[in-house]
Amino acid sequence: MAEESVTIAQTVLRGIACRCPRCGQGKLFAGFLRLRPRCEACRLDYAFIDSGDGPAVFIILIAGAIVVTAALIVEVKYQPPFWVHAALWLPLILATTLWPLRAMKSLLIALQFHHKAAPGRLVDRAPQ
């Protein structure tokens, strides 16, 4: 399939599956969040990838909303002791931050590739 004919839906699915953004076959990660140097299927060099802090920011905001909302509801309804809060929310924080982080990083990388994102560059303009 040509690069130009890849739809945004296919790009999103490749991202969520942690697959190569170009071919959708090769694995993107060598470790939990460490990228491979290149795709083993299509040989795409992954040196262009720079997702930065984007995945972490999205996950922090989403997980924070979930955990804080749940903690406030439990506190208002049941008023449990603090150790119950610690027992409930520490595992939920770990689950809502670590579990989706890999897929979010892969999704942002796939979208970066799909939209041909590049660093900003200054444009030389003729003096007026």
Side-chain angles (χ1 to χ4, degrees), residues 51-66 96-97 100-101 103-105 107-109 111:
S51 62
D53 292 334
V57 169
F58 284 120
I59 295 300
I60 288 169
L61 292 173
I62 294 166
I66 292 168
T96 58
T97 54
L101 186 58
M104 180 63 78
K105 181 173 182 172
L107 174 62
L108 290 180
I109 289 167
L111 290 171

Side-chain angles (χ1 to χ4, degrees), residues 8-27:
I8 193 73
Q10 290 170 316
T11 299
V12 169
L13 290 174
R14 287 176 182 179
I16 292 172
C18 300
R19 295 294 180 177
C20 173
R22 180 164 67 187
C23 69
Q25 301 299 315
K27 294 179 181 177

